[in-house]
Amino acid sequence: MRIIVYQNYQLLSKKAAQIIASQIILKPNSILGLATGSTPIGTYKNLIKMYEEGLIDFSKVTTFNLDEYYQLPIDNNQSYHFFMNDNLFNHININKENIHIPNGMAKDIDNECLNYDKIIDNSGGIDIQLLGIGNNAHIGFNEPTINFNKKTHIVTLDESTRKANARFFSSLEEVPTKAITMGTGSIFKSKKILLLASGKNKAKAIYNTVYGEVTPEVPSSILQFHQDVILILDTEAASLLKDKDYEVLNEISKVR
Ligand code: GLP
């Protein structure tokens, strides 16, 4: 596990975008695993800027999103379909046919889950998976539980997750109680994983991710076993880590 800490969210976002951009430059038909939540928004802004400057081309890129709310219409402005179009896809030259987001409105939801993993496998697998992290250390929508879920599945959201995400809805009641998410196993199969965390409220989850016991009660802890994980943090999210475990990059020049 490699840990890089930046002084602030702006630098963290720039670095994450640069890593994704280099993946696309090295392999134009890369398979990207994408995340929602507020944390990756800065990364997406930087990617859009790089696209506008002609530095990256998304025309051959394929994407798979981690998750989607269950039974929330995709045109609802809180759906992850809406989020991805608004924050990234509408602003780059990605081929819409290459975009994959779990369909929380599918009639046959079991088949939707099975199929999602199949399509990922058939694509050759995810080259780089972008992750945020929940305050309770969830990744995608894999909530703390008694076993690691291997595959894409339906999950009942923790009350703490619904409360955390209520800030995007007009009331807590409107936050869906369920979601469809790639399993920890589906995420773990990614060749490279980039986990972003910003802010004090993520510090405990990050501490447990790095030092804690590997347990499904801390879903992100499984990343300790992955061979290519980079945590990109700001100083607040890293505040409980021991200094020797990471380098703080203060100067923007150091990331250029
Ligand atoms: C949601 C998403 C996660 C995301 C988490 C953290 O629950 N399903 O993928 O990591 O929120 O969100 P934020 O970045 O807004 O803290």
Side-chain angles (χ1 to χ4, degrees), residues 181-194:
T181 183
M182 275 167 59
T184 351
S186 333
I187 294 170
F188 198 82
K189 282 205 232 164
S190 310
K191 291 162 199 156
K192 186 188 240 344
I193 294 178
L194 202 58

Side-chain angles (χ1 to χ4, degrees), residues 122-136:
N122 292 344
S123 75
I126 292 171
D127 290 305
I128 185 164
Q129 173 68 58
L130 185 62
L131 292 180
I133 187 168
N135 298 342
N136 63 2

